């Protein structure tokens, strides 16, 4: 029994120490190493491809973000331009409503001037019950003048009679400058023709004489 065991151990050792097996082992190791290196090279080859794809995606993302930013700015500018256009259009409509009668008012001012001159030219001492025709005519002129001024006021047309006020070049037109006793220099001393404003805008400046220092 002991001898059989010894023979079995020797045979096993001879198989393990066999030259053929020893020669085959390096080949197996080499093949395994090559397979391992092959897998590694494939992974390394895939990594650059993945990196290129990621880089392309990042570049595309950056471009899209820039385009979005640009479109947003253009949209905001378009909104601002539209709002400005709407505001200007609304102002033009409002001005047309307010000042559309400007030309008509200018023509009526001449009528108002004639009525005023007519009433001023009538001697007050002649307007008595002893002269009923003249009195009726004068009263009619006064009533017409009062009524036309009411119509003017209703439509935003206001008379400017700046006598005694400080000269304003936006509302008055100076015909002359002269020293006037009792008048402060730079003030309106004489009004030769009244002016008018339409909704705060000077429609016709008052024609005046301005006092100056002696």
């Amino acid at each position: 029994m002991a001898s059989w065991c010894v023979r079995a151990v020797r045979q096993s050792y001879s198989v393990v120490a066999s030259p053929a097996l020893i020669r085959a082992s390096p080949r197996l190791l080499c093949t395994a190493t090559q397979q391992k290196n092959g897998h590694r090279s494939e992974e390394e080859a895939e990594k650059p491809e993945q990196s290129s794809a990621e880089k392309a995606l990042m570049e595309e993302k950056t471009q899209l973000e820039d385009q979005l930013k640009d479109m947003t700015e253009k949209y905001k500018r378009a909104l601002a331009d539209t709002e400005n256009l709407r505001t200007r259009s609304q102002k033009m409509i409002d001005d047309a409503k307010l000042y559309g009668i400007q030309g008509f008012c200018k023509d009526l001012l001449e009528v108002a001037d004639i009525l005023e001159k007519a009433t001023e030219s009538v001697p007050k001492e002649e307007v008595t019950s002893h002269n009923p025709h003249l009195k009726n005519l004068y009263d009619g002129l006064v009533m017409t003048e009062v009524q036309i001024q009411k119509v003017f006021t209703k439509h935003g047309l206001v008379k400017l009679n700046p006598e005694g006020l400080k000269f304003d070049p936006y509302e008055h037109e100076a015909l002359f400058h002269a020293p006037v006793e009792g008048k402060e220099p730079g003030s309106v001393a004489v009004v030769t023709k009244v002016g008018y404003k339409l909704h705060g805008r000077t429609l016709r400046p008052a024609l005046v004489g301005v006092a100056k220092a002696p």
Side-chain angles (χ1 to χ4, degrees):
M1 185 66 180
S3 60
W4 181 84
C5 291
V6 171
R7 283 197 303 272
V9 170
R10 288 178 179 176
Q11 289 177 359
S12 300
Y13 177 76
S14 63
V15 171
V16 173
S18 171
L21 184 59
I22 293 172
R23 286 194 300 270
S25 298
R27 293 178 183 176
L28 294 174
L29 293 173
C30 183
T31 302
T33 303
Q34 289 177 353
Q35 291 178 352
K36 185 177 180 181
N37 292 335
H39 289 302
R40 185 179 300 171
S41 60
E42 290 177 359
E43 292 177 357
E44 292 176 353
E46 290 176 357
K47 284 182 179 179
E49 294 179 0
Q50 292 178 355
S51 300
S52 300
E54 291 176 357
K55 185 177 180 181
L57 288 174
M58 291 299 295
E59 290 177 354
E60 185 177 0
K61 177 185 176 184
T62 303
Q63 291 177 358
L64 291 175
E65 288 177 348
D66 293 339
Q67 292 177 3
L68 177 61
K69 184 178 179 180
D70 185 52
M71 292 299 294
T72 303
E73 291 296 328
K74 289 181 178 179
Y75 175 69
K76 290 180 179 179
R77 285 197 296 269
L79 283 180
D81 292 340
T82 303
E83 181 62 22
N84 291 336
L85 178 61
R86 187 194 67 79
T87 303
R88 288 196 299 269
S89 301
Q90 187 61 43
K91 188 176 186 304
M92 291 175 63
I93 293 172
D94 295 339
D95 289 346
K97 290 179 180 178
L98 290 175
Y99 306 109
I101 60 172
Q102 181 170 311
F104 180 65
C105 288
K106 280 186 176 181
D107 293 337
L108 283 180
L109 294 183
E110 299 300 327
V111 178
D113 292 339
I114 292 172
L115 284 173
E116 185 178 6
K117 293 295 183 183
T119 55
E120 289 177 353
S121 64
V122 176
K124 302 298 185 291
E125 62 275 7
E126 297 292 333
V127 183
T128 63
S129 57
H130 298 290
N131 194 350
H133 297 293
L134 181 61
K135 184 177 185 303
N136 291 337
L137 178 62
Y138 179 78
D139 291 342
L141 289 174
V142 172
M143 290 175 63
T144 304
E145 185 181 5
V146 171
Q147 186 61 34
I148 199 171
Q149 290 297 328
K150 287 182 179 179
V151 173
F152 285 171
T153 304
K154 178 181 177 181
H155 293 280
L157 191 61
V158 181
K159 181 189 288 188
L160 295 175
N161 190 353
E163 186 174 356
L165 301 178
K166 185 175 179 60
F167 176 76
D168 185 352
Y170 296 101
E171 297 182 357
H172 314 145
E173 182 179 343
L175 299 179
F176 60 89
H177 291 77
V180 179
E181 186 178 355
K183 296 291 184 178
E184 183 181 354
S187 64
V188 176
V190 181
V191 178
T192 60
K193 194 173 186 179
V194 296
Y196 284 88
K197 293 178 73 174
L198 179 62
H199 295 292
R201 178 187 293 180
T202 301
L203 183 63
R204 188 183 76 183
L207 304 181
V208 301
V210 182
K212 70 176 183 178

